[in-house]
mmCIF file with all atom_site columns, all heavy atoms in Angstrom:
data_model
loop_
_atom_site.group_PDB
_atom_site.id
_atom_site.type_symbol
_atom_site.label_atom_id
_atom_site.label_alt_id
_atom_site.label_comp_id
_atom_site.label_asym_id
_atom_site.label_entity_id
_atom_site.label_seq_id
_atom_site.pdbx_PDB_ins_code
_atom_site.Cartn_x
_atom_site.Cartn_y
_atom_site.Cartn_z
_atom_site.occupancy
_atom_site.B_iso_or_equiv
_atom_site.pdbx_formal_charge
_atom_site.auth_seq_id
_atom_site.auth_comp_id
_atom_site.auth_asym_id
_atom_site.auth_atom_id
_atom_site.pdbx_PDB_model_num
ATOM 1  N N   . SER U 1 28 ? 2.143  5.377  -31.136 1.00 87.00 ? 28 SER U N   1
ATOM 2  C CA  . SER U 1 28 ? 0.744  5.669  -31.449 1.00 87.00 ? 28 SER U CA  1
ATOM 3  C C   . SER U 1 28 ? 0.636  6.889  -32.360 1.00 87.00 ? 28 SER U C   1
ATOM 4  O O   . SER U 1 28 ? -0.450 7.231  -32.819 1.00 87.00 ? 28 SER U O   1
ATOM 5  C CB  . SER U 1 28 ? -0.042 5.914  -30.163 1.00 87.00 ? 28 SER U CB  1
ATOM 6  O OG  . SER U 1 28 ? 0.548  6.968  -29.425 1.00 87.00 ? 28 SER U OG  1
ATOM 7  N N   . GLU U 1 29 ? 1.774  7.534  -32.624 1.00 85.00 ? 29 GLU U N   1
ATOM 8  C CA  . GLU U 1 29 ? 1.762  8.720  -33.468 1.00 85.00 ? 29 GLU U CA  1
ATOM 9  C C   . GLU U 1 29 ? 1.712  8.332  -34.946 1.00 85.00 ? 29 GLU U C   1
ATOM 10 O O   . GLU U 1 29 ? 2.200  7.271  -35.345 1.00 85.00 ? 29 GLU U O   1
ATOM 11 C CB  . GLU U 1 29 ? 3.030  9.559  -33.210 1.00 85.00 ? 29 GLU U CB  1
ATOM 12 C CG  . GLU U 1 29 ? 3.208  10.011 -31.775 1.00 85.00 ? 29 GLU U CG  1
ATOM 13 C CD  . GLU U 1 29 ? 2.212  11.079 -31.378 1.00 85.00 ? 29 GLU U CD  1
ATOM 14 O OE1 . GLU U 1 29 ? 1.671  11.746 -32.288 1.00 85.00 ? 29 GLU U OE1 1
ATOM 15 O OE2 . GLU U 1 29 ? 1.992  11.263 -30.177 1.00 85.00 ? 29 GLU U OE2 1
ATOM 16 N N   . SER U 1 30 ? 1.132  9.198  -35.739 1.00 83.00 ? 30 SER U N   1
ATOM 17 C CA  . SER U 1 30 ? 1.111  8.962  -37.178 1.00 83.00 ? 30 SER U CA  1
ATOM 18 C C   . SER U 1 30 ? 2.267  9.680  -37.879 1.00 83.00 ? 30 SER U C   1
ATOM 19 O O   . SER U 1 30 ? 2.642  9.323  -38.991 1.00 83.00 ? 30 SER U O   1
ATOM 20 C CB  . SER U 1 30 ? -0.220 9.437  -37.776 1.00 83.00 ? 30 SER U CB  1
ATOM 21 O OG  . SER U 1 30 ? -0.404 10.819 -37.487 1.00 83.00 ? 30 SER U OG  1
ATOM 22 N N   . ASP U 1 31 ? 2.806  10.665 -37.204 1.00 85.00 ? 31 ASP U N   1
ATOM 23 C CA  . ASP U 1 31 ? 3.920  11.446 -37.753 1.00 85.00 ? 31 ASP U CA  1
ATOM 24 C C   . ASP U 1 31 ? 5.177  11.120 -36.946 1.00 85.00 ? 31 ASP U C   1
ATOM 25 O O   . ASP U 1 31 ? 5.259  11.470 -35.766 1.00 85.00 ? 31 ASP U O   1
ATOM 26 C CB  . ASP U 1 31 ? 3.607  12.947 -37.659 1.00 85.00 ? 31 ASP U CB  1
ATOM 27 C CG  . ASP U 1 31 ? 4.749  13.794 -38.167 1.00 85.00 ? 31 ASP U CG  1
ATOM 28 O OD1 . ASP U 1 31 ? 5.558  13.287 -38.980 1.00 85.00 ? 31 ASP U OD1 1
ATOM 29 O OD2 . ASP U 1 31 ? 4.843  14.971 -37.773 1.00 85.00 ? 31 ASP U OD2 1
ATOM 30 N N   . TYR U 1 32 ? 6.130  10.448 -37.563 1.00 90.00 ? 32 TYR U N   1
ATOM 31 C CA  . TYR U 1 32 ? 7.343  10.094 -36.838 1.00 90.00 ? 32 TYR U CA  1
ATOM 32 C C   . TYR U 1 32 ? 8.495  9.881  -37.819 1.00 90.00 ? 32 TYR U C   1
ATOM 33 O O   . TYR U 1 32 ? 8.302  9.845  -39.035 1.00 90.00 ? 32 TYR U O   1
ATOM 34 C CB  . TYR U 1 32 ? 7.141  8.848  -35.954 1.00 90.00 ? 32 TYR U CB  1
ATOM 35 C CG  . TYR U 1 32 ? 6.645  7.622  -36.675 1.00 90.00 ? 32 TYR U CG  1
ATOM 36 C CD1 . TYR U 1 32 ? 7.525  6.700  -37.226 1.00 90.00 ? 32 TYR U CD1 1
ATOM 37 C CD2 . TYR U 1 32 ? 5.279  7.377  -36.784 1.00 90.00 ? 32 TYR U CD2 1
ATOM 38 C CE1 . TYR U 1 32 ? 7.062  5.568  -37.877 1.00 90.00 ? 32 TYR U CE1 1
ATOM 39 C CE2 . TYR U 1 32 ? 4.803  6.248  -37.431 1.00 90.00 ? 32 TYR U CE2 1
ATOM 40 C CZ  . TYR U 1 32 ? 5.695  5.343  -37.976 1.00 90.00 ? 32 TYR U CZ  1
ATOM 41 O OH  . TYR U 1 32 ? 5.240  4.221  -38.623 1.00 90.00 ? 32 TYR U OH  1
ATOM 42 N N   . TYR U 1 33 ? 9.688  9.771  -37.243 1.00 92.00 ? 33 TYR U N   1
ATOM 43 C CA  . TYR U 1 33 ? 10.904 9.615  -38.032 1.00 92.00 ? 33 TYR U CA  1
ATOM 44 C C   . TYR U 1 33 ? 11.723 8.478  -37.423 1.00 92.00 ? 33 TYR U C   1
ATOM 45 O O   . TYR U 1 33 ? 11.732 8.291  -36.197 1.00 92.00 ? 33 TYR U O   1
ATOM 46 C CB  . TYR U 1 33 ? 11.729 10.911 -38.018 1.00 92.00 ? 33 TYR U CB  1
ATOM 47 C CG  . TYR U 1 33 ? 10.961 12.084 -38.588 1.00 92.00 ? 33 TYR U CG  1
ATOM 48 C CD1 . TYR U 1 33 ? 10.037 12.782 -37.818 1.00 92.00 ? 33 TYR U CD1 1
ATOM 49 C CD2 . TYR U 1 33 ? 11.134 12.461 -39.908 1.00 92.00 ? 33 TYR U CD2 1
ATOM 50 C CE1 . TYR U 1 33 ? 9.321  13.831 -38.347 1.00 92.00 ? 33 TYR U CE1 1
ATOM 51 C CE2 . TYR U 1 33 ? 10.425 13.516 -40.444 1.00 92.00 ? 33 TYR U CE2 1
ATOM 52 C CZ  . TYR U 1 33 ? 9.511  14.196 -39.661 1.00 92.00 ? 33 TYR U CZ  1
ATOM 53 O OH  . TYR U 1 33 ? 8.802  15.229 -40.195 1.00 92.00 ? 33 TYR U OH  1
ATOM 54 N N   . LEU U 1 34 ? 12.404 7.778  -38.276 1.00 94.00 ? 34 LEU U N   1
ATOM 55 C CA  . LEU U 1 34 ? 13.221 6.646  -37.840 1.00 94.00 ? 34 LEU U CA  1
ATOM 56 C C   . LEU U 1 34 ? 14.658 6.867  -38.283 1.00 94.00 ? 34 LEU U C   1
ATOM 57 O O   . LEU U 1 34 ? 14.905 7.434  -39.363 1.00 94.00 ? 34 LEU U O   1
ATOM 58 C CB  . LEU U 1 34 ? 12.679 5.345  -38.433 1.00 94.00 ? 34 LEU U CB  1
ATOM 59 C CG  . LEU U 1 34 ? 11.309 4.918  -37.901 1.00 94.00 ? 34 LEU U CG  1
ATOM 60 C CD1 . LEU U 1 34 ? 10.609 4.008  -38.878 1.00 94.00 ? 34 LEU U CD1 1
ATOM 61 C CD2 . LEU U 1 34 ? 11.462 4.245  -36.537 1.00 94.00 ? 34 LEU U CD2 1
ATOM 62 N N   . PHE U 1 35 ? 15.580 6.409  -37.475 1.00 96.00 ? 35 PHE U N   1
ATOM 63 C CA  . PHE U 1 35 ? 16.995 6.640  -37.730 1.00 96.00 ? 35 PHE U CA  1
ATOM 64 C C   . PHE U 1 35 ? 17.797 5.374  -37.439 1.00 96.00 ? 35 PHE U C   1
ATOM 65 O O   . PHE U 1 35 ? 17.427 4.557  -36.596 1.00 96.00 ? 35 PHE U O   1
ATOM 66 C CB  . PHE U 1 35 ? 17.545 7.746  -36.813 1.00 96.00 ? 35 PHE U CB  1
ATOM 67 C CG  . PHE U 1 35 ? 16.792 9.037  -36.880 1.00 96.00 ? 35 PHE U CG  1
ATOM 68 C CD1 . PHE U 1 35 ? 15.662 9.240  -36.110 1.00 96.00 ? 35 PHE U CD1 1
ATOM 69 C CD2 . PHE U 1 35 ? 17.227 10.057 -37.710 1.00 96.00 ? 35 PHE U CD2 1
ATOM 70 C CE1 . PHE U 1 35 ? 14.960 10.440 -36.162 1.00 96.00 ? 35 PHE U CE1 1
ATOM 71 C CE2 . PHE U 1 35 ? 16.536 11.260 -37.772 1.00 96.00 ? 35 PHE U CE2 1
ATOM 72 C CZ  . PHE U 1 35 ? 15.402 11.442 -36.993 1.00 96.00 ? 35 PHE U CZ  1
#
Side-chain angles (χ1 to χ4, degrees):
Chain U
S28 57
E29 302 289 339
S30 58
D31 178 24
Y32 56 90
Y33 300 81
L34 293 157
F35 305 85

